[in-house]
Amino acid sequence: MIRSLLNGIPRDQLSVLDRGLQFGDGLFETLAIVENNLCLWDQHMQRLQAGCARLGIAAPDCRLLRQEATRLVADQRQAALKIIITRGVSERGYKPATAASPTRILSLSSWDGPCSDPLRVSVSHRRLGWNPDLAGIKHLNRLEQVLARMDCAEDVQEALMLDMQDQVVEGIMSNLFFHKRQQLFTPSLDQCGVEGVVRKLVLAMAKDRDIEIITGRFTLDEVLQSDALYLTSALGGIRFVSEITGHDWKPKTSFHPFLAEVAERVFCKDDSVC
């Protein structure tokens, strides 16, 4: 099941001159739909607008996006919604047209829904390149992740990705948290990686509760010394890691109570909270 809107019109075809297709010139968000609720809508819109500002793309009206999203998900109790914003159509060449009008794409696809099963992950040999101009935002250039996902064995759901200095950054499609002796840690995303909406929710709730989460650069060896690992994403929520293939590591403790509390908020149905 796939349904889509292109600039508000039901269509599934895009101009070959669109800069999203030509250069990956744009951004995207992937939202969970649970009981018709657009989960973490505000957080997704904040990241989308921040990304548009970083790239110099005119940000879409969030009210219009919400109206279009509501149209698509009206009869869907559970689905995944992808929002893509590109700089629009232009002729050949990197320099965009001055009057380029952004392209707005919303597509709905099937999704199995929240899952709390532990994850079996690997460590990718692919490396994330540093680019602070693009770090944190969810831009359309995802070839590093495509290659890493192609490498994954069938029985592996995710893989940890390191940067060129062998520091652990994130999963292919998720952010990483780990804890040791009840202290929580998460890698810095100032040079590369995507600042996920669930990661941001964890950090915001931790701040509200005066819970310290240490952000920094960590080697794989340091991560392997942790008591437990967690991967976070909009569709995955907060998932416990049960195994890292190829490494002698197993979790030494159960789900961290604070992260368990945050996990219950990810797919909430109360718009005033989400």
Side-chain angles (χ1 to χ4, degrees):
M1 175 273 293
I2 297 180
R3 298 188 303 189
S4 59
L5 295 175
L6 177 62
N7 294 328
I9 301 171
R11 289 180 59 187
D12 59 2
Q13 297 177 334
L14 184 69
S15 168
V16 296
L17 298 178
D18 193 277
R19 293 182 64 85
L21 176 62
Q22 292 194 75
F23 310 113
D25 190 0
L27 306 123
F28 73 102
E29 297 288 333
T30 305
L31 290 78
I33 309 301
V34 177
E35 300 295 338
N36 301 112
N37 181 62
L38 301 163
C39 298
L40 301 181
W41 175 264
D42 289 344
Q43 288 88 339
H44 281 286
M45 291 302 100
Q46 290 168 10
R47 182 174 62 181
L48 182 63
Q49 290 182 314
C52 284
R54 187 96 66 89
L55 296 182
I57 296 174
D61 185 331
C62 290
R63 291 170 298 182
L64 176 60
L65 282 181
R66 180 138 197 167
Q67 291 172 3
E68 294 177 348
T70 301
R71 284 170 55 193
L72 277 180
V73 308
D75 59 349
Q76 299 297 312
R77 295 187 61 190
Q78 190 166 275
L81 173 67
K82 188 168 187 177
I83 299 174
I84 301 174
I85 304 298
T86 81
R87 197 179 301 274
V89 172
S90 73
E91 299 296 334
R92 185 182 64 83
Y94 289 130
K95 186 174 182 179
T98 304
S101 178
T103 300
R104 190 175 69 254
I105 304 166
L106 280 74
S107 62
L108 196 67
S109 58
S110 57
W111 173 54
D112 292 336
C115 177
S116 59
D117 293 345
L119 290 169
R120 186 170 190 257
V121 307
S122 61
V123 178
S124 177
H125 72 275
R126 308 287 181 176
R127 291 294 184 264
L128 295 171
W130 278 18
N131 188 341
D133 288 339
L134 299 178
I137 64 175
K138 199 162 187 178
H139 55 78
L140 291 175
N141 293 270
R142 294 289 135 205
L143 286 178
E144 293 166 328
Q145 287 77 14
V146 170
L147 292 173
R149 193 69 183 99
M150 288 170 60
D151 294 335
C152 289
E154 289 295 325
D155 60 345
V156 168
Q157 294 90 24
E158 250 285 29
L160 302 182
M161 297 196 71
L162 284 61
D163 63 18
M164 301 302 293
Q165 294 194 346
D166 290 333
Q167 309 291 314
V168 179
V169 179
E170 59 188 0
I172 296 172
M173 46 196 169
S174 59
N175 290 125
L176 170 69
F177 286 87
F178 62 95
H179 82 259
K180 188 174 183 180
R181 293 188 292 273
Q182 294 305 307
Q183 177 66 64
L184 283 165
F185 303 83
T186 189
S188 171
L189 302 176
D190 59 343
Q191 298 297 326
C192 59
V194 176
E195 185 179 4
V197 294
V198 178
R199 178 183 187 271
K200 190 171 183 179
L201 178 65
V202 172
L203 295 176
M205 289 181 63
K207 183 177 180 180
D208 289 343
R209 288 158 175 73
D210 292 324
I211 296 173
E212 182 184 16
I213 297 181
I214 297 175
T215 301
R217 306 195 191 285
F218 309 104
T219 65
L220 181 60
D221 285 342
E222 289 175 308
V223 171
L224 293 175
Q225 292 170 14
S226 64
D227 296 329
L229 299 177
Y230 312 86
L231 293 176
T232 67
S233 67
L235 295 184
I238 302 179
R239 302 281 295 276
F240 188 73
V241 176
S242 61
E243 181 182 354
I244 303 176
T245 63
H247 296 273
D248 183 20
W249 178 89
K250 290 289 184 182
K252 302 178 183 65
T253 185
S254 58
F255 218 94
H256 192 283
F258 169 66
L259 292 181
E261 178 187 354
V262 182
E264 294 179 357
R265 297 279 296 274
V266 175
F267 304 111
C268 66
K269 304 177 181 62
D270 181 358
D271 283 342
S272 65
V273 173
C274 294

